[in-house]
Amino acid sequence: MKQPARRQFDEPDLLEIQEEVIQAVQADPEKFFARYKAFPQSFGGRYVNSDLFKETFEPYNRSKESRGRYNQAVHNSAATLAAEQFRRALQEPKEPGKDMVILLTGIPGAGKTSSVMKDEKMPFQVHAIYEGQLAVPEVALGKVQEVLDAGFKPFIVVVHPIPEKALDNTFHRFNTEGRGASIETMAKVQGEMTTGLMAVLDKFGPDRVQLQITDRRKDYFDPVTLEGWEHLPVLRSEGNHEQIRQRLERRLEARRNDISDDAWRQAKGLAPLGEIQSSRVAGREHESNLARPEAPGGSREEAVLTRSSPARNPARWMELDSDISREISDHMAVQSALAHLGEDIDTLREAAEGRPLNDAQRQMLRDGWNGRLILGDDRLTRLGELAYSTASKQLAAPERQSPEISEQERQDLAQQRQWQQRQIQSRNIAQREEADSKAQELTRKIEGLKEQAAEIKAGETSEPAKQERIEQLHKQERDIVREAPQEVRARIPKRDRGLER
């Protein structure tokens, strides 16, 4: 396995985290492969994605803030592990009827995973899927050659939305997960995609490599499937690297007032500041106060530096199970989540500490998660997910179950709850994307009314006639806003409301 390349950063903490992760990967890479294969969404390591590999790094995965802050610092380590995992997946024995390997690519925020997964399952005929960028000819040629050398059929799938929609999706992902994408990277990937694919076509020809384009430009949720290399020019429809970059710059500035400063920074290619950097600047003394005790063998995990609720002692949470405690210590800091979920927090704590939950407590956790869908607060998402997954983990833990439940029943229950959790999350994301799309449509209608009002004011009709017509436009605007659902109305920028009289 190749060693991860080191990048240059101006921020000391990014250099520190980069070095920490590289050293850990070099010391024990098998630990990270095992963690990755344990993720349900990796399908035992047959779905290879460098972004998912980042979740195996503890410094990155401690909180939403740390994922935003250290996304670039851990990127090369994740990419190195993903390349090796893909090589290993290709070496696994070929099962009957599974002779295809998908190379999945597209601009960040395109919705690549959902484009190939049906009912959260890999297609039957597919041996493995590699999700990554193929804009660079050397990379694209190398991946295709790997697939052919292993005796499989390469099938390239490109997901192709308009870049502005993809950028909006990265904002949403940054708000919910902490991981976004820079507009420079997005422009390069989409603007130079045909360069890498043309190199593949020239070297291997259309018979050895198949191409499919999932065209999401007209309707993001009902894409058109285009099969065959004759459709390759479609990928040039949104412009070249520079043209797409300029479009994304305009979109970013148009959204400047309704996204956070950290979301704006990551889109500009800058590391978000967030609470991680603020805590580090405050000094190491705070870190040592929250750090977990030295573990046997001399290893130690750093605590997440966040604001804590006055009603809770963060040190106590640091003594709980490592993965769960880091999440709890982070999300206990979210005051609004504490206010909304109330006594669910005590139930959540009992679950994390390993105490058996009764049916009422389990239902309370699920109600807390489902209630968050109504509240519509992104900050409740992670806490709700944690509550639900905590209950699932307890169901899956043999020592916490009554003896009359079989091992197979425990596994079935755990898998069912994991599936339910993913379904709820996917449905919620789809609802938010639909609301965003509807808000954009209504905003365009309001802009059209503004243009009509301006034309009327500049016209030669009498002043009373102008006022009457403009008042009619005002009524149309009020009706548009009033009749829109709350979740859509909240997404219409306030500066776009209100016609000039």
Side-chain angles (χ1 to χ4, degrees), residues 295-369:
S299 64
R300 184 176 70 82
E301 295 177 331
E302 291 184 344
V304 178
L305 305 181
T306 58
R307 296 186 304 270
S308 60
S309 169
R312 303 293 178 187
N313 179 4
R316 180 180 183 185
W317 293 99
M318 289 300 115
E319 296 170 1
L320 303 179
D321 174 81
S322 59
D323 291 333
I324 297 178
S325 67
R326 278 195 300 273
E327 291 249 25
I328 292 177
S329 66
D330 178 39
H331 297 297
M332 291 296 288
V334 183
Q335 299 294 334
S336 64
L338 287 171
H340 285 301
L341 293 183
E343 63 188 75
D344 288 8
I345 299 302
D346 293 327
T347 297
L348 180 57
R349 180 180 60 190
E350 291 180 6
E353 291 176 337
R355 302 179 190 177
L357 300 181
N358 58 38
D359 291 341
Q361 288 176 315
R362 287 197 184 95
Q363 189 59 48
M364 183 182 292
L365 290 178
R366 298 188 187 105
D367 288 344
W369 161 240

Coordinates of all heavy atoms in Angstrom, one line a residue, residues 295-369:
A295 N -5.4 4.9 29.0 CA -5.9 3.6 28.8 C -4.8 2.6 29.0 O -3.6 3.0 28.8 CB -6.6 3.4 27.5
P296 N -5.0 1.3 29.2 CA -4.0 0.3 29.3 C -3.2 0.3 28.1 O -3.7 0.4 27.0 CB -4.7 -1.0 29.5 CG -6.0 -0.6 30.1 CD -6.4 0.8 29.5
G297 N -1.8 0.2 28.2 CA -1.0 0.2 27.0 C -0.5 1.6 26.7 O 0.2 1.8 25.7
G298 N -1.0 2.6 27.3 CA -0.5 4.0 27.1 C -1.2 4.8 26.1 O -0.9 5.9 25.8
S299 N -2.3 4.2 25.4 CA -3.0 5.0 24.4 C -4.0 5.9 25.1 O -4.5 5.6 26.2 CB -3.7 4.0 23.5 OG -4.7 3.3 24.2
R300 N -4.3 7.0 24.4 CA -5.2 7.9 25.0 C -6.0 8.6 23.9 O -5.5 8.9 22.8 CB -4.5 9.0 25.8 CG -5.5 10.0 26.5 CD -4.7 11.0 27.3 NE -3.9 11.9 26.5 CZ -4.5 13.0 25.9 NH1 -5.7 13.3 26.1 NH2 -3.7 13.8 25.2
E301 N -7.3 8.8 24.1 CA -8.2 9.5 23.1 C -8.5 10.9 23.6 O -8.8 11.0 24.8 CB -9.5 8.7 22.9 CG -9.3 7.3 22.3 CD -10.6 6.6 22.2 OE1 -11.5 6.9 23.0 OE2 -10.7 5.8 21.3
E302 N -8.3 11.9 22.8 CA -8.6 13.2 23.2 C -10.1 13.4 23.3 O -10.9 12.9 22.6 CB -8.0 14.2 22.1 CG -6.5 14.2 22.1 CD -6.0 15.3 21.1 OE1 -6.8 15.7 20.3 OE2 -4.9 15.7 21.2
A303 N -10.4 14.3 24.2 CA -11.9 14.7 24.3 C -12.2 15.7 23.3 O -11.4 16.5 22.8 CB -12.1 15.2 25.7
V304 N -13.5 15.7 22.9 CA -14.0 16.8 22.0 C -14.2 18.0 22.9 O -14.8 18.0 23.9 CB -15.3 16.3 21.4 CG1 -15.9 17.5 20.5 CG2 -15.1 15.1 20.6
L305 N -13.7 19.2 22.3 CA -13.8 20.4 23.1 C -15.0 21.2 22.6 O -15.0 21.7 21.5 CB -12.5 21.3 22.8 CG -11.2 20.5 23.1 CD1 -10.0 21.4 22.8 CD2 -11.2 20.1 24.5
T306 N -16.0 21.1 23.4 CA -17.2 21.8 23.1 C -17.8 22.5 24.3 O -17.3 22.2 25.5 CB -18.3 20.9 22.6 OG1 -18.5 19.9 23.6 CG2 -17.9 20.2 21.3
R307 N -18.7 23.4 24.1 CA -19.4 24.0 25.3 C -20.3 22.9 25.9 O -20.9 22.2 25.2 CB -20.3 25.2 24.8 CG -19.5 26.3 24.2 CD -20.4 27.5 24.0 NE -21.5 27.1 23.1 CZ -21.5 27.2 21.8 NH1 -20.4 27.7 21.2 NH2 -22.5 26.9 21.1
S308 N -20.3 22.9 27.2 CA -21.1 21.9 27.9 C -22.3 22.6 28.5 O -22.3 23.7 28.9 CB -20.3 21.2 28.9 OG -19.8 22.1 29.9
S309 N -23.4 21.7 28.7 CA -24.6 22.2 29.4 C -24.3 22.4 30.9 O -23.6 21.5 31.5 CB -25.7 21.2 29.2 OG -26.7 21.5 30.0
P310 N -24.7 23.5 31.5 CA -24.4 23.6 32.9 C -25.0 22.5 33.8 O -24.5 22.2 34.8 CB -25.2 25.0 33.2 CG -25.3 25.7 31.9 CD -25.4 24.6 30.9
A311 N -26.0 21.8 33.2 CA -26.7 20.8 34.0 C -25.9 19.4 34.0 O -26.3 18.5 34.6 CB -28.1 20.6 33.5
R312 N -24.9 19.4 33.1 CA -24.2 18.1 32.9 C -22.7 18.3 33.2 O -22.1 19.3 32.9 CB -24.4 17.6 31.5 CG -25.8 17.4 31.1 CD -26.5 16.3 31.9 NE -27.9 16.2 31.6 CZ -28.7 15.4 32.2 NH1 -28.3 14.7 33.2 NH2 -30.0 15.3 31.8
N313 N -22.1 17.2 33.7 CA -20.6 17.3 33.9 C -20.0 16.5 32.7 O -20.1 15.3 32.6 CB -20.3 16.5 35.2 CG -18.8 16.5 35.4 OD1 -18.0 17.1 34.7 ND2 -18.4 15.8 36.5
P314 N -19.3 17.3 31.8 CA -18.7 16.6 30.6 C -17.7 15.5 31.0 O -17.5 14.6 30.2 CB -18.1 17.8 29.8 CG -17.9 18.9 30.8 CD -19.0 18.7 31.8
A315 N -17.0 15.7 32.1 CA -16.0 14.6 32.4 C -16.7 13.3 32.6 O -16.1 12.2 32.3 CB -15.3 15.1 33.7
R316 N -17.9 13.3 33.1 CA -18.6 12.0 33.3 C -18.9 11.3 32.0 O -18.7 10.1 31.9 CB -19.9 12.3 34.1 CG -20.7 11.0 34.3 CD -22.0 11.2 35.1 NE -22.7 10.0 35.3 CZ -23.9 9.9 35.9 NH1 -24.5 11.0 36.2 NH2 -24.5 8.8 36.1
W317 N -19.2 12.1 31.0 CA -19.5 11.5 29.7 C -18.2 11.0 29.1 O -18.3 10.0 28.3 CB -20.1 12.6 28.8 CG -21.5 13.0 29.2 CD1 -21.8 14.1 30.0 CD2 -22.7 12.3 29.1 NE1 -23.1 14.2 30.2 CE2 -23.7 13.0 29.7 CE3 -23.0 11.1 28.4 CZ2 -25.0 12.6 29.7 CZ3 -24.3 10.7 28.5 CH2 -25.3 11.5 29.1
M318 N -17.1 11.6 29.4 CA -15.9 11.1 28.8 C -15.5 9.7 29.3 O -14.6 9.0 28.8 CB -14.7 12.1 29.1 CG -14.8 13.4 28.4 SD -14.7 13.2 26.6 CE -16.4 13.8 26.2
E319 N -16.1 9.3 30.4 CA -15.8 8.0 31.0 C -16.7 6.9 30.4 O -16.5 5.7 30.7 CB -16.0 8.0 32.5 CG -15.1 9.0 33.2 CD -15.4 9.2 34.7 OE1 -16.4 8.5 35.1 OE2 -14.7 10.0 35.3
L320 N -17.6 7.2 29.5 CA -18.5 6.2 29.0 C -17.8 5.6 27.7 O -16.7 5.9 27.4 CB -19.8 6.9 28.5 CG -20.6 7.6 29.7 CD1 -21.8 8.2 29.1 CD2 -20.9 6.6 30.8
D321 N -18.5 4.7 27.1 CA -18.0 4.0 25.9 C -17.5 5.0 24.9 O -18.2 6.1 24.7 CB -19.2 3.2 25.3 CG -18.8 2.6 24.0 OD1 -18.2 1.6 23.9 OD2 -19.2 3.2 22.9
S322 N -16.4 4.8 24.3 CA -15.6 5.8 23.6 C -16.4 6.4 22.5 O -16.6 7.6 22.4 CB -14.3 5.3 23.1 OG -14.6 4.1 22.2
D323 N -17.0 5.6 21.6 CA -17.7 6.1 20.4 C -18.9 6.9 20.8 O -19.2 8.0 20.4 CB -18.0 5.0 19.4 CG -16.8 4.3 18.8 OD1 -15.8 5.1 18.7 OD2 -16.9 3.2 18.4
I324 N -19.7 6.3 21.7 CA -21.0 6.9 22.1 C -20.7 8.2 22.9 O -21.3 9.2 22.7 CB -21.8 5.9 22.9 CG1 -22.2 4.7 22.0 CG2 -23.1 6.6 23.4 CD1 -23.0 3.7 22.7
S325 N -19.7 8.1 23.8 CA -19.5 9.2 24.7 C -19.0 10.5 24.0 O -19.4 11.6 24.3 CB -18.4 8.8 25.8 OG -17.1 8.6 25.2
R326 N -18.2 10.3 22.9 CA -17.8 11.4 22.1 C -18.9 12.1 21.5 O -19.0 13.3 21.5 CB -16.7 11.0 21.1 CG -15.3 10.9 21.7 CD -14.3 10.8 20.5 NE -14.6 9.7 19.7 CZ -14.1 8.5 19.8 NH1 -13.3 8.2 20.9 NH2 -14.3 7.5 19.0
E327 N -19.9 11.3 21.0 CA -21.1 11.9 20.3 C -21.9 12.6 21.4 O -22.4 13.7 21.1 CB -21.9 10.8 19.6 CG -21.1 10.3 18.4 CD -21.8 10.7 17.1 OE1 -22.5 11.7 17.1 OE2 -21.6 10.0 16.1
I328 N -22.1 12.0 22.5 CA -23.0 12.5 23.5 C -22.4 13.8 24.0 O -23.1 14.8 24.2 CB -23.2 11.6 24.7 CG1 -24.1 10.4 24.2 CG2 -23.9 12.2 25.8 CD1 -24.3 9.3 25.2
S329 N -21.1 13.8 24.3 CA -20.4 15.0 24.9 C -20.6 16.2 23.9 O -20.7 17.3 24.3 CB -19.0 14.8 25.1 OG -18.3 14.6 23.9
D330 N -20.6 15.9 22.6 CA -20.7 17.0 21.6 C -22.2 17.5 21.6 O -22.4 18.7 21.7 CB -20.4 16.4 20.2 CG -20.6 17.4 19.1 OD1 -20.2 18.6 19.4 OD2 -21.0 17.1 18.0
H331 N -23.1 16.6 21.5 CA -24.5 17.0 21.3 C -25.2 17.4 22.6 O -26.2 18.1 22.5 CB -25.3 15.8 20.6 CG -24.7 15.5 19.3 ND1 -24.8 16.5 18.2 CD2 -24.1 14.5 18.8 CE1 -24.2 15.9 17.2 NE2 -23.8 14.7 17.5
M332 N -24.6 17.0 23.7 CA -25.2 17.6 25.0 C -25.0 19.1 25.0 O -25.6 19.8 25.8 CB -24.5 16.9 26.2 CG -24.9 15.4 26.4 SD -26.6 15.2 26.7 CE -26.7 15.9 28.4
A333 N -24.0 19.6 24.2 CA -23.8 21.0 24.2 C -24.8 21.8 23.5 O -24.9 23.0 23.5 CB -22.4 21.3 23.6
V334 N -25.7 21.1 22.7 CA -26.7 21.8 21.9 C -27.9 22.1 22.8 O -28.7 21.2 23.1 CB -27.2 20.9 20.7 CG1 -28.2 21.6 19.9 CG2 -26.0 20.5 19.9
Q335 N -28.0 23.4 23.2 CA -29.0 23.8 24.2 C -30.4 23.5 23.7 O -31.3 23.1 24.4 CB -28.8 25.2 24.5 CG -27.4 25.5 25.2 CD -27.3 24.9 26.5 OE1 -28.3 24.6 27.2 NE2 -26.1 24.6 26.9
S336 N -30.6 23.8 22.4 CA -32.0 23.6 21.9 C -32.4 22.2 21.9 O -33.6 21.9 22.1 CB -32.1 24.2 20.5 OG -31.3 23.5 19.6
A337 N -31.4 21.3 21.6 CA -31.8 19.9 21.7 C -32.1 19.4 23.1 O -33.1 18.7 23.3 CB -30.6 19.0 21.2
L338 N -31.4 19.9 24.1 CA -31.7 19.6 25.5 C -33.2 20.1 25.8 O -33.9 19.4 26.5 CB -30.7 20.3 26.4 CG -29.3 19.6 26.4 CD1 -28.4 20.5 27.2 CD2 -29.4 18.3 27.0
A339 N -33.5 21.3 25.3 CA -34.8 21.9 25.7 C -35.9 21.1 25.0 O -36.9 20.9 25.7 CB -34.8 23.4 25.2
H340 N -35.7 20.7 23.8 CA -36.8 20.0 23.1 C -36.9 18.5 23.5 O -38.0 18.0 23.6 CB -36.5 20.0 21.6 CG -36.8 21.3 20.9 ND1 -38.1 21.9 21.0 CD2 -36.0 22.2 20.3 CE1 -38.0 23.1 20.4 NE2 -36.8 23.3 19.9
L341 N -35.8 17.8 23.7 CA -35.9 16.4 24.1 C -36.1 16.1 25.5 O -36.5 15.1 25.9 CB -34.6 15.7 23.6 CG -34.4 15.7 22.0 CD1 -33.2 14.9 21.7 CD2 -35.6 15.0 21.4
G342 N -35.7 17.1 26.4 CA -36.0 17.0 27.8 C -35.6 15.7 28.5 O -34.4 15.4 28.5
E343 N -36.5 15.0 29.0 CA -36.2 13.8 29.8 C -35.6 12.7 28.9 O -35.1 11.7 29.4 CB -37.4 13.3 30.5 CG -38.6 12.8 29.6 CD -39.8 12.5 30.3 OE1 -40.5 13.5 30.8 OE2 -40.1 11.3 30.5
D344 N -35.7 12.8 27.6 CA -35.1 11.8 26.7 C -33.6 11.7 27.0 O -33.0 10.6 26.8 CB -35.3 12.1 25.2 CG -36.7 11.9 24.8 OD1 -37.6 11.6 25.7 OD2 -37.0 12.0 23.6
I345 N -33.0 12.8 27.4 CA -31.6 12.8 27.7 C -31.2 11.8 28.8 O -30.2 11.1 28.7 CB -31.1 14.2 28.1 CG1 -31.4 15.2 27.0 CG2 -29.6 14.2 28.4 CD1 -30.7 14.9 25.6
D346 N -32.0 11.7 29.8 CA -31.7 10.8 30.9 C -31.8 9.3 30.4 O -31.0 8.5 30.7 CB -32.7 11.0 32.0 CG -32.5 12.3 32.8 OD1 -31.3 12.7 32.8 OD2 -33.4 12.9 33.2
T347 N -32.8 9.1 29.5 CA -33.0 7.7 28.9 C -31.8 7.4 28.0 O -31.2 6.3 28.1 CB -34.3 7.7 28.1 OG1 -35.4 7.9 29.0 CG2 -34.4 6.3 27.4
L348 N -31.4 8.4 27.3 CA -30.2 8.2 26.4 C -29.0 7.9 27.2 O -28.2 7.1 26.9 CB -30.0 9.5 25.6 CG -28.8 9.5 24.6 CD1 -29.0 8.3 23.6 CD2 -28.8 10.8 23.8
R349 N -28.8 8.6 28.3 CA -27.6 8.4 29.2 C -27.6 7.0 29.7 O -26.6 6.3 29.8 CB -27.6 9.4 30.3 CG -26.4 9.2 31.2 CD -26.4 10.3 32.4 NE -27.6 10.1 33.2 CZ -28.0 11.0 34.1 NH1 -27.3 12.1 34.3 NH2 -29.1 10.8 34.8
E350 N -28.8 6.5 30.2 CA -28.9 5.2 30.7 C -28.6 4.1 29.6 O -27.9 3.1 29.9 CB -30.3 4.9 31.2 CG -30.6 5.7 32.5 CD -32.0 5.4 33.0 OE1 -32.7 4.6 32.4 OE2 -32.4 6.1 33.9
A351 N -29.0 4.4 28.4 CA -28.7 3.5 27.3 C -27.2 3.4 27.1 O -26.6 2.4 26.9 CB -29.4 3.9 26.0
A352 N -26.6 4.6 27.1 CA -25.1 4.7 26.8 C -24.3 4.0 27.9 O -23.2 3.5 27.7 CB -24.7 6.1 26.7
E353 N -24.8 4.1 29.1 CA -24.1 3.5 30.2 C -24.4 2.0 30.3 O -23.8 1.3 31.2 CB -24.5 4.1 31.6 CG -24.1 5.6 31.7 CD -24.6 6.3 32.9 OE1 -25.6 5.8 33.5 OE2 -23.9 7.2 33.4
G354 N -25.2 1.4 29.4 CA -25.4 0.0 29.4 C -26.5 -0.5 30.2 O -26.7 -1.7 30.4
R355 N -27.4 0.4 30.7 CA -28.5 -0.1 31.5 C -29.6 -0.5 30.6 O -29.9 0.1 29.6 CB -29.0 1.1 32.4 CG -28.0 1.6 33.4 CD -28.6 2.8 34.2 NE -27.5 3.5 34.9 CZ -27.8 4.5 35.7 NH1 -29.0 5.0 35.8 NH2 -26.8 5.1 36.3
P356 N -30.2 -1.7 30.9 CA -31.3 -2.2 30.0 C -32.4 -1.1 29.9 O -32.8 -0.5 30.9 CB -31.8 -3.5 30.7 CG -30.6 -3.9 31.5 CD -29.9 -2.6 32.0
L357 N -33.0 -1.0 28.8 CA -34.2 -0.1 28.6 C -35.4 -0.9 28.5 O -35.5 -2.0 27.9 CB -34.0 0.7 27.3 CG -32.8 1.6 27.2 CD1 -32.8 2.3 25.9 CD2 -32.7 2.6 28.3
N358 N -36.5 -0.4 29.1 CA -37.8 -1.0 28.9 C -38.4 -0.5 27.6 O -37.9 0.4 27.0 CB -38.7 -0.8 30.1 CG -38.9 0.7 30.4 OD1 -39.0 1.5 29.5 ND2 -38.9 1.1 31.7
D359 N -39.6 -1.1 27.3 CA -40.2 -0.7 26.0 C -40.6 0.7 26.0 O -40.5 1.4 24.9 CB -41.5 -1.6 25.8 CG -41.1 -3.0 25.6 OD1 -40.0 -3.3 25.2 OD2 -42.0 -3.9 25.8
A360 N -41.1 1.3 27.1 CA -41.5 2.7 27.1 C -40.3 3.6 26.9 O -40.4 4.6 26.2 CB -42.1 3.0 28.5
Q361 N -39.1 3.2 27.4 CA -37.9 4.1 27.2 C -37.5 4.0 25.8 O -37.0 5.0 25.2 CB -36.8 3.6 28.2 CG -37.0 4.0 29.6 CD -36.0 3.5 30.5 OE1 -35.6 2.3 30.4 NE2 -35.5 4.3 31.4
R362 N -37.5 2.8 25.2 CA -37.1 2.6 23.8 C -38.1 3.5 22.9 O -37.6 4.1 22.0 CB -37.2 1.2 23.4 CG -36.1 0.3 23.9 CD -36.0 -1.0 23.1 NE -35.0 -1.9 23.7 CZ -35.3 -2.9 24.5 NH1 -36.6 -3.1 24.9 NH2 -34.4 -3.7 25.0
Q363 N -39.4 3.4 23.2 CA -40.3 4.2 22.5 C -40.0 5.7 22.6 O -40.2 6.5 21.7 CB -41.7 3.9 22.9 CG -42.8 4.5 22.0 CD -42.6 4.0 20.5 OE1 -42.5 2.8 20.3 NE2 -42.6 5.0 19.6
M364 N -39.6 6.1 23.8 CA -39.3 7.5 24.1 C -38.1 8.0 23.2 O -38.1 9.1 22.6 CB -38.9 7.7 25.5 CG -38.6 9.2 25.9 SD -38.1 9.4 27.6 CE -39.6 8.9 28.4
L365 N -37.1 7.1 23.0 CA -36.0 7.4 22.1 C -36.5 7.6 20.7 O -36.1 8.5 20.0 CB -34.9 6.3 22.2 CG -34.2 6.3 23.5 CD1 -33.2 5.1 23.5 CD2 -33.4 7.6 23.8
R366 N -37.3 6.6 20.3 CA -37.8 6.7 18.9 C -38.7 8.0 18.7 O -38.6 8.6 17.7 CB -38.6 5.5 18.6 CG -37.7 4.2 18.6 CD -38.5 3.0 18.1 NE -37.7 1.8 18.3 CZ -38.0 0.9 19.2 NH1 -39.1 1.1 20.0 NH2 -37.3 -0.2 19.4
D367 N -39.5 8.3 19.7 CA -40.3 9.5 19.6 C -39.5 10.7 19.5 O -39.8 11.7 18.8 CB -41.3 9.6 20.8 CG -42.4 8.5 20.7 OD1 -42.6 8.0 19.7 OD2 -43.0 8.3 21.8
G368 N -38.4 10.8 20.3 CA -37.5 11.9 20.2 C -36.9 12.1 18.8 O -36.8 13.2 18.3
W369 N -36.6 11.0 18.2 CA -36.0 11.0 16.8 C -37.1 11.4 15.8 O -36.9 12.3 15.0 CB -35.5 9.6 16.4 CG -35.3 9.3 15.0 CD1 -35.9 8.4 14.3 CD2 -34.4 10.0 14.1 NE1 -35.5 8.4 13.0 CE2 -34.6 9.4 12.8 CE3 -33.6 11.1 14.2 CZ2 -33.9 9.9 11.7 CZ3 -32.9 11.6 13.0 CH2 -33.1 10.9 11.8

